[in-house]
Each structure stands twice: as structure tokens, then as C-alpha cells.
Amino acid sequence: MSKMILIALCFFMFTELAIAQTDASKPSYSMYNNMLIKPKRGHEKQFEQGVKAHNALFHASGPSKASLAIVTEGSKSDGWYIWGMGPLTYTDMDHLPQGDAKHDDDWDKNVDVHVEEYGESNFWKLKDELSYTPANYNPSHLDVWVVDIKPGMRYLFAELMKKNKAVWEAKKYPFSSRVFYNELWNNVGKDASIVYNFDHYADFDMDIKFKEDFESVHGVGSYDNFWKSWNECVNGVDEHLRKILK
């Protein structure tokens, strides 16, 4: 009896160790793969319907879960959509449905026939330590700031985003302030993005008294100092709005 107990105990310990090692080896970050797509003029509705049906069949859950958004204002608002998958990891990229005959055939027949042009694809990694995500986050619209960070100044940008996050957490705003870093090097100023969500355009008319809130957390004069430091580390921002199609 004691021998059986010892064997069972050893098996339990081995199993727990194996599970722990497996969990430890899993990447813990969240990343999104976004691709720009422009449908043919006059094919927008067919394109949207085709993508939605395709997503329901092949990208409904898991790391390859996909969404579709239209750029409504700002850069790329001249007919571009954003098709995105995630959250996922680089490891997940090796196990996507792309390449499967049924998947590719469905895309070709129901989506690609309505596409005028495919744009660039990028990896955007969420920086949790710099981000604020409200409870029950399920955005319908996004306000995206694509930030051009000056060379060697990412550390200062991160410090500013930590200060920004502290305010959003303290005041519990109903909107997000999520920071992503572009995983791919580029020379066109797409280094980071700050993503805010909104439900209605009227939300832009809300006065949340951000300067007062910021200084209540970081002290008098801190708001102006924030923007001085911002100008030290940021070349500029390219902003656009998106509507998520559900």
C-alpha cells in the first residue's frame, strides 16, 4: 500500500511539474496582427458581408479570432478597412488557418473578389504596464493615435504613458487608453499607438477636466510638464477614427 502511495505521489509531482513548465513556456503578451484592405468601389457591402461570414467560419475564437473595422475619419479614411486577428503571439502565427484549402478557397471566393488593394500588415503588441482598459471593454469605435517617437526617446515616452495610466486608473474613466508598440522596425513614424474607445461622437464633447484630474494625481504644474516632455520625445501623431463592424 505504501509503495502504491509513493508511486502515485511521484506521478502527481511529475504531472504538476510538467504543467508548470508548460505554462511557464507560454508567451504571456498580447499582440494583434492588423492588415489594411481596400474593397472595390461599389463592393463595400459585399466585402463586409464576405469578411463577416469568413470570420464566423474560420476566425470565430482563439488566437486567430478576427474583426473588421472601417476607417471613418483621418488617415486612410479614403476607403480603407482594417482586418485584424488576436490577441495572439508569434507562436500562434505558425498555427493559423491560412494555408488550409477550405479557408483559402472561402477567402478567394467571398472576400478577395471584392478587394481592390491589400495594404501593409503589422504586429502591434499591447503594453499592459502603460495601458488602462476599463471593465467590460467591448468597443464600438476607436480613436487611434499613431505616434512617431524620436530616436532614443522611447524610455521617456514610456514614463509619460505610466503617468497617464495612473490618472486614468485613479479617475476610472469609462474609456480606454491602451498603448501598443509596433513590433516591426519602420522609418515612417509608426512606432507606437495609443487607442481610445468611444461609443458616440458626442463623447468628444464631454469635458472630463483632464488637466484638473492629472494635477490632482501628479501635482500642480505636472500637466504642462507632461506636454513639454511629450514634445521632447515625440515627433508627431497621425490620428484616425475607426468603426468596428459587428
Side-chain angles (χ1 to χ4, degrees):
M1 178 64 73
S2 61
K3 184 177 181 180
M4 293 298 295
I5 293 174
L6 180 60
I7 293 174
L9 181 61
C10 289
F11 176 77
F12 173 77
M13 292 177 64
F14 175 79
T15 303
E16 288 294 302
L17 178 61
I19 293 174
Q21 289 177 336
T22 301
D23 290 341
S25 65
K26 290 181 180 178
S28 59
Y29 60 86
S30 294
M31 184 173 70
Y32 294 81
N33 177 213
N34 290 347
M35 179 172 63
L36 286 163
I37 308 177
K38 177 183 281 192
K40 297 174 182 177
R41 186 175 295 276
H43 289 239
E44 290 84 1
K45 290 302 178 185
Q46 298 98 311
F47 169 76
E48 292 176 12
Q49 292 168 358
V51 172
K52 288 180 182 179
H54 178 84
N55 287 351
L57 282 173
F58 301 101
H59 299 273
S61 62
S64 66
K65 183 176 181 179
S67 63
L68 182 68
I70 182 173
V71 181
T72 53
E73 287 85 25
S75 297
K76 298 294 183 181
S77 61
D78 55 340
W80 289 92
Y81 289 69
I82 297 174
W83 185 75
M85 290 187 296
L88 45 67
T89 66
Y90 283 116
T91 300
D92 294 323
M93 290 294 297
D94 293 326
H95 306 283
L96 298 179
Q98 282 87 330
D100 174 77
K102 290 183 179 180
H103 169 277
D104 293 354
D105 184 62
D106 182 80
W107 182 273
D108 290 342
K109 290 180 177 179
N110 299 307
V111 179
D112 186 69
V113 292
H114 303 297
V115 173
E116 175 70 29
E117 182 181 354
Y118 289 96
E120 65 181 29
S121 173
N122 278 302
F123 294 120
W124 292 94
K125 186 179 287 187
L126 177 66
K127 308 301 289 184
D128 283 311
E129 70 275 16
L130 310 180
S131 301
Y132 171 79
T133 304
N136 303 315
Y137 182 66
N138 185 25
S140 60
H141 296 75
L142 299 176
D143 178 5
V144 181
W145 294 18
V146 180
V147 184
D148 179 6
I149 302 174
K150 294 179 182 179
M153 300 302 288
R154 184 168 289 200
Y155 77 94
L156 180 55
F157 176 79
E159 290 178 6
L160 295 178
M161 291 301 95
K162 288 179 181 178
K163 291 182 178 180
N164 181 67
K165 176 182 180 178
V167 178
W168 288 68
E169 286 185 331
K171 302 305 177 180
K172 293 181 170 51
Y173 295 139
F175 311 110
S176 68
S177 177
R178 288 156 62 89
V179 178
F180 297 81
Y181 282 169
N182 191 347
E183 283 289 285
L184 304 180
W185 291 103
N186 68 91
N187 61 0
V188 291
K190 298 179 179 180
D191 302 316
S193 64
I194 308 172
V195 180
Y196 308 99
N197 74 292
F198 64 99
D199 293 321
H200 308 283
Y201 283 89
D203 293 339
F204 286 96
D205 289 330
M206 292 176 58
D207 182 8
I208 61 173
K209 302 185 185 304
F210 187 69
K211 180 178 181 179
E212 295 179 17
D213 289 347
F214 195 95
E215 296 196 343
S216 72
V217 174
H218 297 295
V220 176
S222 58
Y223 181 80
D224 290 338
N225 289 334
F226 175 92
W227 289 110
K228 288 178 183 177
S229 297
W230 174 274
N231 290 328
E232 289 177 12
C233 66
V234 171
N235 280 319
V237 173
D238 194 5
E239 183 179 13
H240 68 268
L241 306 183
R242 303 177 194 172
K243 178 182 179 181
I244 299 175
L245 305 176
K246 299 181 179 181

